Each structure stands twice: as C-alpha cells, then as structure tokens.
Amino acid sequence: MNGLLIDDDEVYARILQRSLQRRGLQVRIAHDAASALALVEAQAPEFALVDLKIGASSGLDLIAPLRAARADMQIVLVTGYASVATAVEAIKRGADNYLPKPVTAEALLRALNDEPAAEEVDTMTPLSRLEWEHIQQAMLACDGNISAAARLLGMHRRSLQRKLAKRPGPERIDREL
C-alpha cells in the first residue's frame, strides 16, 4: 500500500513514516497543504493520514481535494485536538476515520483495515472530557472566536480562556480483576 502523511510536525512525521515502512507500507510526507496536493497530483495514494492542524490551515479543507483525486482513497484524520465536534465534521466532509494523537502504527493499520480498536471498554466518559468536547464544539461553531463562544456558552470570556488552557488528561480505566 502506498500512502501520504500530511503533518506539519516534521519529527513526528518521520518517525511515523519509518514505523509504517517497517510494516510494509510506502509513505510519502507533506508538511503543508500545497505540497500535499502536488504529491497527490503526481500519484494519488491509496490512503492519506491528515493532521487536523497543518500550520495555519486545516486538514478538514484537504479532505475534498483528496477525495476528488481518488474516490477510493482511505482518508484518516489524526489530531492532538480530538473532540466529538471535529470528528463529526471530518466524517461529514468525507474522512473514513478519525484518530487522536499520539497514534501508533498499529492503530493506523487497524483503521486502514477497518478493524475495531484493540480493546474497547464500556465506561462512561468523564465529565471533564464532555465539557472539553462541548467547548470545542462551541469554538468550532464560532470559527475560533473566544468571545463569541463564551457568549454562546453563557460564560465569561476569561473563564472560557482558563478552561481552554486546561486540557483533560488521559482517562483512567478501572477494571475488575
């Protein structure tokens, strides 16, 4: 399989590229939207791994041109800013899958092969995570305008800024032995 990794983090992209190549995939790297589209024009890959934030642009805007270049291309959006709102938007725009960073090569391979995640545990989503996702949805609806999002959420702008500075930590899973 040949693919394209579109990510502005050069170190992360190289590490992920090497990891995928060890597993038999051929992966080219683009660090911005323009070079990604140029690589796709030269040879449309079978899959594309697209970062949500590519410098000043959005990976969401690349989904349509990638899909136009090759209708059967698998498009996986990967992001360090995962939220339900951006996941829904990515799927609406035509992405096949959505994964939070840091993502492993195994998780990407499972996503490309339409396999379920390695271990899915039925737990409730922590309240801090739900709040974070709700805030991200409001920010998306207001095009990133903090003042407008604060009005939409019915809170003071400074309070929203403090909440945005705190990202929810990894979720703890309690298991019965």
Side-chain angles (χ1 to χ4, degrees), residues 93-145:
R93 291 190 185 201
D96 295 302
N97 214 322
Y98 181 93
L99 298 172
K101 278 184 178 178
V103 65
T104 63
E106 290 80 18
L108 286 171
L109 290 171
R110 281 192 300 272
L112 292 172
N113 293 323
D114 291 325
E115 296 174 5
E119 184 177 309
E120 293 188 25
V121 179
D122 289 333
T123 60
M124 292 190 71
T125 304
L127 188 57
S128 61
R129 175 50 113 181
L130 291 174
E131 179 185 44
W132 175 258
E133 291 176 0
H134 188 69
I135 289 170
Q136 293 304 312
Q137 187 174 7
M139 291 294 292
L140 186 64
C142 296
D143 295 323
N145 184 321

Side-chain angles (χ1 to χ4, degrees), residues 81-101:
Y81 304 95
S83 73
V84 172
T86 54
V88 169
E89 186 66 23
I91 300 302
K92 280 183 182 178
R93 291 190 185 201
D96 295 302
N97 214 322
Y98 181 93
L99 298 172
K101 278 184 178 178

Side-chain angles (χ1 to χ4, degrees), residues 5-175:
L5 173 57
I6 307 166
D7 197 315
D8 59 347
D9 184 344
E10 295 180 23
V11 174
Y12 174 78
R14 278 197 314 264
I15 291 170
L16 188 56
Q17 178 189 37
R18 280 191 295 244
S19 184
L20 291 170
Q21 285 176 338
R22 282 194 299 269
R23 288 161 177 79
L25 290 116
Q26 296 302 314
V27 181
R28 295 177 292 161
I29 297 177
H31 298 295
D32 57 58
S35 60
L37 294 175
L39 287 172
V40 168
E41 277 186 34
Q43 178 188 6
E46 295 174 74
F47 67 90
L49 308 173
V50 183
D51 190 16
L52 177 65
K53 294 185 186 263
I54 307 166
S57 60
S58 171
L60 292 171
D61 298 332
L62 283 174
I63 295 172
L66 291 172
R67 185 68 64 206
R70 184 170 176 172
D72 66 337
M73 181 188 308
Q74 285 189 286
I75 301 172
V76 178
L77 195 79
V78 292
T79 181
Y81 304 95
S83 73
V84 172
T86 54
V88 169
E89 186 66 23
I91 300 302
K92 280 183 182 178
R93 291 190 185 201
D96 295 302
N97 214 322
Y98 181 93
L99 298 172
K101 278 184 178 178
V103 65
T104 63
E106 290 80 18
L108 286 171
L109 290 171
R110 281 192 300 272
L112 292 172
N113 293 323
D114 291 325
E115 296 174 5
E119 184 177 309
E120 293 188 25
V121 179
D122 289 333
T123 60
M124 292 190 71
T125 304
L127 188 57
S128 61
R129 175 50 113 181
L130 291 174
E131 179 185 44
W132 175 258
E133 291 176 0
H134 188 69
I135 289 170
Q136 293 304 312
Q137 187 174 7
M139 291 294 292
L140 186 64
C142 296
D143 295 323
N145 184 321
I146 293 176
S147 296
R151 281 191 299 274
L152 182 65
L153 293 168
M155 64 176 30
H156 192 274
R157 181 186 55 82
R158 293 286 294 146
S159 298
L160 179 57
Q161 285 177 318
R162 280 191 294 278
K163 288 182 181 289
L164 286 169
K166 297 178 187 176
R167 292 200 174 103
E171 296 165 4
R172 194 181 75 160
I173 299 172
D174 293 324
R175 296 186 188 146

